[in-house]
Amino acid sequence: MNDTQADKNEFQIGDLVLLIDRKDRRYMITLVEGEKYNCHLGQLFHDKIIGNNIGGWFRTDKGHILLGIKPTLGDFVRQMPRGPQIVYPKDLGNIISFADIFPGATVIEGGLGSGALTSALLRAVGHTGKVINYEIDEAVLPKALRNIERINSDTSNLEVKISDIYQGISERNVDRVVLDVPEPWQALSGIGDALVMGGIVLSFVPTIIQVQKLVLAMEEDGRFQMIESIETLLRTWHVTERSVRPDHRMIAHSGFLTTAVRCDPKPYGRVPFSREEDGKNLDFRNNELEE
Ligand code: SAM
C-alpha cells in the first residue's frame, strides 16, 4: 500500500468522525491531537483514533466499543448544531437533482438558516461554481458558517449577503435560484430578473398553502413555466433474519419542493403573430389556446 492509499484509509487530525454505539446512537467529533471525547460511555482519546482505520472499532476507558466512520453530508446535517429548521437529507438530494444543480453553476440561495442546504449546494456546484446566499438575519451567520466550514473543505466560492431577498436580487444571468424562505412568492419578481433564460427556480416550503400561493404567483408573473410541486416520503426498513418490515418510525413530513423554468411569458390574450397571419379562428380562454 502506498502513502496515498494509507492516508485515505486512516483518520487524520481535523477529520470529522461519526462514533456509533451498540444502540445505534451517534456522536460527532472533530479530531484534535491530545483532546479527549467524554460521554456517558466513558472517555476516548482522539489520539486513539488518529492514524487508525476509518471504519474501525474504538474502546472507551469504560470498555464500551464505538464504531468510527466519516459522516456523510446527511449524517453531518442531522448531528450539527442548528438554529433555524434545517432541510433534511431526504430533501437535500432531491433539491440538488430537481433544481439540476451542476458543477460550475452560479446559484442564488434564499435563507442561510443553519447552513445545511448551503453545504449541499456548495458541494454540487464544486470549485468552479458559486453560491450567493441572501440572509435577512445576521444573527444566524456564526453558527451557520461554522457548520458549513466543518463539512466543506473550501468555502471560498460562498458569498453571504445580509439582505432581504424579497427586495430583489442584484445578480443577473444566474443559473439557479434555490429558496428556503417563508414567503417565496415575494421574491418572484427579483428571481425572474436574475435567472438566465431556461434557468431553474426551486422553492422548499413546509405547508401546501404556501405551495399554492407560490404557484399562483408564478402563473400570474408569467415568466415561469413547467411549474411542478412534489414531496418525498422516505421509509426505512428493518431487515433481520426473522423479520423484514418497514421501521415503525419515519419522518412523515418535512416540506414540498416547487420547481419552475424561466421562460418567455405566455402570449396572454393576444394571438401569436404567425398564427394570426394564417387567418385561423383562434380563441384564448383561461390562457389556453383553443382551435
Ligand atoms: N435552508 C436552511 C438550512 O438548511 O439550514 C434553513 C433556512 S431557515 C428555515 C430560513 C432562513 O431564511 C432563516 O435564516 C431566515 O432568517 C431567512 N429568511 C427569512 N426571510 C428572508 C428574506 N426575506 N430574505 C432573506 N432571508 C430570509
Side-chain angles (χ1 to χ4, degrees):
M1 191 183 293
N2 64 33
D3 280 354
T4 321
Q5 285 170 321
D7 288 349
K8 276 191 91 167
N9 286 296
E10 293 170 1
F11 284 115
Q12 312 288 318
I13 294 169
D15 277 351
L16 284 168
V17 184
L18 191 68
L19 294 166
I20 303 154
D21 72 13
R22 66 188 173 87
K23 291 190 173 166
D24 201 33
R25 286 175 299 211
R26 287 143 195 250
Y27 318 90
M28 193 170 64
I29 62 172
T30 301
L31 291 175
V32 179
E33 209 171 12
E35 284 266 315
K36 64 183 174 211
Y37 174 65
N38 285 299
C39 71
H40 66 289
L41 299 173
Q43 290 183 345
L44 178 60
F45 280 91
H46 291 202
D47 293 355
K48 282 178 95 174
I49 305 175
I50 295 165
N52 283 302
N53 268 357
I54 297 165
W57 299 85
F58 302 96
R59 189 181 291 274
T60 70
D61 65 342
K62 287 188 181 169
H64 293 278
I65 304 270
L66 300 169
L67 175 64
I69 60 166
K70 283 205 174 178
T72 62
L73 178 65
D75 294 326
F76 178 79
V77 301
R78 273 189 292 253
Q79 298 291 325
M80 72 185 198
R82 61 183 79 160
Q85 178 63 49
I86 63 162
V87 174
Y88 278 97
K90 84 176 174 74
D91 296 308
L92 289 175
N94 277 337
I95 289 174
I96 299 301
S97 156
F98 283 91
D100 189 37
I101 308 294
F102 58 90
T106 298
V107 180
I108 301 290
E109 185 189 8
L112 182 69
S114 303
L117 179 52
T118 311
S119 297
L121 292 172
L122 279 173
R123 255 194 192 191
V125 300
H127 300 301
T128 54
K130 183 154 192 181
V131 176
I132 302 163
N133 188 292
Y134 281 62
E135 168 57 56
I136 204 167
D137 181 5
E138 199 166 0
V140 306
L141 249 69
K143 194 178 277 177
L145 293 180
R146 247 194 327 274
N147 284 335
I148 294 165
E149 282 159 11
R150 277 183 85 192
I151 192 71
N152 292 276
S153 52
D154 179 11
T155 58
S156 58
N157 54 350
L158 170 65
E159 183 185 345
V160 179
K161 293 183 161 181
I162 300 302
S163 187
D164 180 349
I165 201 164
Y166 303 159
Q167 299 305 314
I169 297 171
S170 56
E171 291 76 13
R172 291 291 174 268
N173 285 325
V174 304
D175 299 301
R176 305 288 185 256
V177 176
V178 176
L179 301 172
D180 180 9
V181 291
E183 299 188 355
W185 51 90
Q186 289 209 49
L188 274 187
S189 167
I191 294 168
D193 298 340
L195 268 180
V196 70
M197 295 303 292
I200 296 173
V201 53
L202 180 147
S203 165
F204 176 87
V205 285
T207 77
I208 202 66
I209 303 292
Q210 290 164 297
V211 172
Q212 188 189 32
K213 270 192 105 158
L214 175 61
V215 169
L216 295 181
M218 282 176 164
E219 288 173 351
E220 174 75 25
D221 180 293
R223 293 174 293 174
F224 302 97
Q225 310 298 331
M226 314 284 290
I227 304 168
E228 283 179 5
S229 297
I230 62 159
E231 75 170 311
T232 307
L233 304 180
L234 184 139
R235 193 165 69 163
T236 58
W237 282 66
H238 169 90
V239 180
T240 65
E241 194 177 355
R242 292 161 55 108
S243 140
V244 179
R245 56 163 174 78
D247 279 328
H248 294 307
R249 290 164 192 261
M250 66 185 280
I251 299 173
H253 176 68
S254 53
F256 303 94
L257 309 186
T258 298
T259 50
V261 181
R262 170 72 168 94
C263 295
D264 280 332
K266 273 186 195 167
Y268 281 101
R270 65 187 172 86
V271 179
F273 183 69
S274 59
R275 307 193 79 169
E276 194 178 33
E277 268 193 334
D278 287 348
K280 287 187 182 158
N281 182 19
L282 301 175
D283 180 22
F284 285 92
R285 203 169 298 146
N286 299 325
N287 301 327
E288 297 289 341
L289 181 66
E290 292 185 352
E291 292 189 69

